[in-house]
Amino acid sequence: MHWSSLLRRGKEVLNVAGPNQDMRGGGPLSRVQISTMMVKDNLLAAGGFHGELICKYVDQPGVAFCTNLAGNKKSITNAVEIYKSPNGSTRVMAANNDCVVRTFDTEKYSLLTQFPFAWSVNNMSVSPDGKLLAVLGDSSDCLIADSGSGKEIASLRGHADYSFASAWHPDGRVLATGNQDRTCRLWDVRNPSEAFAVLEGRIGAVRGLRFSPDGRFLAAAEPADFVRVYDVAAGYARAQEIDLFGEIAGVSFSPDDGAEALFVGVADRTYGSLLEFRRRHRHAYLDCYL
């Protein structure tokens, strides 16, 4: 669904509940249960619980591309990423439980790269300049690799369990990782030997991470009930805790410069919803004249 926070209404964008013949790049997919998704510049990429990858332009009818990444293995597509490569082309990357990260171009949707790893990949994210790739999964270590070759550049050690979330600060120097050990760790990629900050979760693992577009805030979501918004300028020492009810499907800031809105997806079968939180501004006396 596409939700307009201005018009306060939603419309259907993609329906794969039944057989869908209007697809290119593979056979028709049916009854796809969405496991992960991302939207950037009107391009939607969605992954499924049986290895599916679906790409569609939000403002165009039909589906641009679909395929099953893992063939008949039926392994989950855990994460998708849409990013600009260093040469300016738009690419789609997908991480799967079959231990492989794959990259596709968005011109012909041809497979460009396949990077195998020793463990299931639960999450990956590309740095803002498109050069670095963070890879996390069923390992206590997190890897930073070259996004073009897949060659490992650094191994981030410090977590005690498996990792499921990552996010790059817009300046490209800081990487946040979320783990089952109930911590979010902050790494300076110029000195990745040790995390420079460790943020504790409330009751559960850190399963969702997002920096605001201006880099002022970091949102960290647990599997259910709690989202924390950290003040980056305060060295992540200050945070607002949002207490809600239900399983959390994901978090996202609005793309405007001020990050005026924070959206939280609630996946609870009974109370499923999209929550929108607006920033509260404190205006001092006579601020209107400045």
Side-chain angles (χ1 to χ4, degrees):
M1 300 294 294
H2 176 257
W3 168 255
S4 171
S5 58
L6 297 177
L7 302 177
R8 301 291 175 180
R9 64 172 180 258
K11 66 177 181 179
E12 185 177 278
V13 173
L14 177 66
N15 189 333
V16 285
N20 195 323
Q21 301 291 335
D22 190 17
M23 293 188 173
R24 295 189 290 111
L29 299 179
S30 178
R31 300 184 60 81
V32 178
Q33 187 177 7
I34 303 298
S35 58
T36 183
M37 61 178 288
M38 182 180 184
V39 178
K40 188 172 183 178
D41 297 333
N42 279 326
L43 178 61
L44 163 69
F49 277 88
H50 291 129
E52 302 95 341
L53 173 65
I54 303 170
C55 297
K56 172 188 170 54
Y57 288 96
V58 176
D59 58 349
Q60 297 178 15
V63 170
F65 173 75
C66 73
T67 189
N68 191 301
L69 298 172
N72 296 321
K73 294 181 181 179
K74 305 297 183 184
S75 56
I76 303 173
T77 302
N78 288 316
V80 290
E81 176 91 336
I82 302 171
Y83 69 100
K84 292 283 188 181
S85 68
N87 66 10
S89 60
T90 301
R91 293 178 178 175
V92 174
M93 183 176 286
N96 195 272
N97 258 4
D98 68 353
C99 309
V100 179
V101 173
R102 298 171 175 86
T103 307
F104 297 84
D105 70 64
T106 56
E107 292 293 327
K108 298 181 179 179
Y109 287 98
S110 57
L111 179 63
L112 299 177
T113 62
Q114 296 188 81
F115 303 144
F117 294 90
W119 24 261
S120 294
V121 181
N122 299 324
N123 179 269
M124 86 290 166
S125 57
V126 179
S127 61
D129 62 6
K131 295 180 179 180
L132 299 178
L133 169 66
V135 185
L136 308 85
D138 288 359
S139 170
S140 59
D141 294 346
C142 304
L143 303 180
I144 295 180
D146 183 281
S147 64
S149 66
K151 181 180 178 181
E152 181 181 328
I153 296 174
S155 182
L156 310 179
R157 295 184 172 91
H159 282 300
D161 208 327
Y162 294 169
S163 296
F164 285 88
S166 66
W168 291 86
H169 189 276
D171 66 13
R173 295 193 295 266
V174 173
L175 174 68
T177 57
N179 193 275
Q180 292 266 95
D181 62 9
R182 295 177 49 239
T183 69
C184 167
R185 292 176 182 262
L186 283 302
W187 313 84
D188 188 327
V189 295
R190 298 166 298 181
N191 182 23
S193 59
E194 185 178 5
F196 67 83
V198 179
L199 312 178
E200 297 283 346
R202 178 67 178 269
I203 60 174
V206 178
R207 297 294 291 259
L209 291 169
R210 286 289 187 276
F211 278 101
S212 61
D214 58 8
R216 294 181 59 189
F217 305 105
L218 170 65
E222 299 186 17
D225 300 345
F226 294 102
V227 176
R228 285 189 174 183
V229 182
Y230 292 91
D231 187 335
V232 174
Y236 305 91
R238 291 203 308 260
Q240 176 186 352
E241 184 175 88
I242 300 173
D243 186 355
L244 50 99
F245 182 82
E247 297 181 6
I248 298 174
V251 293
S252 180
F253 286 98
S254 58
D256 51 88
D257 291 337
E260 291 294 324
L262 172 69
F263 297 92
V264 180
V266 180
D268 189 272
R269 288 187 177 274
T270 303
Y271 300 101
S273 58
L274 181 67
L275 306 181
E276 179 181 356
F277 297 88
R278 305 292 295 185
R279 283 187 62 192
R280 184 174 62 184
H281 296 274
R282 291 186 176 90
H283 297 293
Y285 181 61
L286 296 181
D287 274 358
C288 60
Y289 291 99
L290 298 179

